[in-house]
């Protein structure tokens, strides 16, 4: 177990439903950062730049993530995902349908972060912080790249939060409810399951207080 305490962490979620239970406990610090990598990054940077705000020892993104199909469902269903490696690969970029400048930074890693959680309930993998939700099965080219870099999870806010934490030199990671398989039915599966899994995730975190 890490020496990092739950009370030392700022939990950043996309919307209120992902942190409502945590927010009700005065010992826990939360931020509703907004949906998507840009909005999440702007709001976290605004928070950290305010000299009057409490400054965390670490920041964890909390919410939900889809799981790429190279990880069998039996290995993640009913568990929680944790990450400390974050990439920003748009699926169209991996399929060479769009071009991005080579000078851009596509990955951040936080190897020194020690999660204050342990046990078989947690699955660790890198997260692909996309700007949107993937609604198609991945092409062989994209799947090879995703699997080759051990990117197991997909989440819309993670990379934006990671970029800001790198800028401020603050340890960063994520803890996700693993709600769905990435692909054509992913959004519908998420809609049916996110509330239940979010409650489980928040209750799990509270159990570590």
């Amino acid at each position: 177990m890490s020496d990092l305490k739950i009370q030392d962490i700022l939990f950043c979620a996309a919307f209120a439903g992902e942190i409502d239970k945590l927010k009700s406990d005065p010992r826990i610090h939360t931020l509703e950062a907004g949906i998507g990598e840009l909005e999440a990054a702007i709001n976290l940077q605004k928070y950290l730049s305010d000299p009057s705000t409490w400054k965390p020892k670490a920041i964890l993104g909390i919410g939900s993530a889809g799981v790429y199909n190279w990880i069998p469902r039996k290995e993640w269903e009913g568990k929680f995902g944790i990450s400390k490696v974050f990439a920003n690969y748009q699926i169209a970029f991996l399929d060479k349908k769009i071009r991005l400048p080579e000078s851009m930074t596509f990955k951040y890693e936080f190897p020194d972060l020690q999660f204050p959680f342990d046990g078989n309930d947690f699955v660790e993998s890198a997260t692909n912080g996309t700007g949107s939700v993937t609604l198609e099965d991945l092409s062989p080219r994209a799947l090879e790249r995703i699997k080759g870099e051990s990117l197991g999870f997909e989440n819309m806010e993670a990379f934006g939060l990671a970029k800001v934490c790198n800028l401020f030199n603050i340890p960063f990671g994520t803890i996700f409810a693993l709600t769905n398989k990435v692909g054509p039915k992913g959004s519908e599966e998420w809609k049916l399951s996110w509330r239940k899994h979010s409650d489980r995730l928040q209750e799990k975190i509270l159990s570590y207080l």
Side-chain angles (χ1 to χ4, degrees):
M1 283 289 290
S2 167
D3 292 333
L4 184 65
K5 306 298 183 185
I6 302 298
Q7 299 92 321
D8 299 328
I9 298 170
L10 176 66
F11 289 90
C12 294
F15 59 95
E18 294 180 327
I19 49 170
D20 49 357
K21 290 182 178 295
L22 298 185
K23 194 173 182 178
S24 66
D25 192 308
R27 296 171 293 177
I28 298 182
H29 301 272
T30 62
L31 175 67
E32 185 179 340
I35 297 174
E37 60 182 318
L38 179 59
E39 188 169 351
I42 289 172
N43 287 322
L44 178 57
Q45 183 165 351
K46 182 179 178 181
Y47 173 94
L48 294 173
S49 299
D50 185 344
S52 67
T53 58
W54 171 82
K55 297 303 186 288
K57 292 183 179 179
I59 293 173
L60 289 185
I62 180 175
S64 59
V67 184
Y68 290 113
N69 63 7
W70 65 266
I71 301 180
R73 183 179 285 268
K74 65 181 180 180
E75 294 184 10
W76 60 263
E77 193 166 40
K79 298 183 179 181
F80 307 112
I82 55 176
S83 290
K84 51 186 177 182
V85 178
F86 304 93
N88 182 217
Y89 296 138
Q90 304 302 326
I91 302 304
F93 169 71
L94 298 181
D95 281 333
K96 297 186 180 301
K97 294 178 180 178
I98 61 173
R99 181 177 297 167
L100 296 172
E102 294 181 2
S103 59
M104 292 178 64
T105 299
F106 292 106
K107 184 175 285 187
Y108 292 107
E109 301 184 28
F110 300 84
D112 296 332
L113 175 70
Q114 297 296 318
F115 288 98
F117 318 106
D118 59 8
N120 295 329
D121 290 339
F122 300 95
V123 178
E124 184 169 354
S125 186
T127 293
N128 191 25
T130 58
S132 56
V133 175
T134 302
L135 295 178
E136 296 182 354
D137 289 324
L138 269 61
S139 69
R141 180 201 299 269
L143 184 60
E144 180 181 5
R145 182 71 176 273
I146 291 290
K147 184 177 180 180
E149 298 199 29
S150 298
L151 295 167
F153 309 140
E154 181 176 276
N155 173 270
M156 291 177 59
E157 293 75 37
F159 188 79
L161 296 173
K163 188 176 184 70
V164 174
C165 288
N166 180 74
L167 177 65
F168 282 83
N169 197 29
I170 298 175
F172 175 71
T174 51
I175 178 167
F176 296 127
L178 302 177
T179 52
N180 58 275
K181 173 184 171 182
V182 172
K185 298 180 180 179
S187 287
E188 289 304 313
E189 188 178 357
W190 178 84
K191 289 177 184 178
L192 294 172
S193 66
W194 79 265
R195 178 74 267 184
K196 174 183 68 176
H197 291 307
S198 177
D199 287 347
R200 289 181 54 246
L201 175 57
Q202 293 184 71
E203 288 164 4
K204 186 70 172 181
I205 292 170
L206 289 169
S207 74
Y208 281 83
L209 285 170

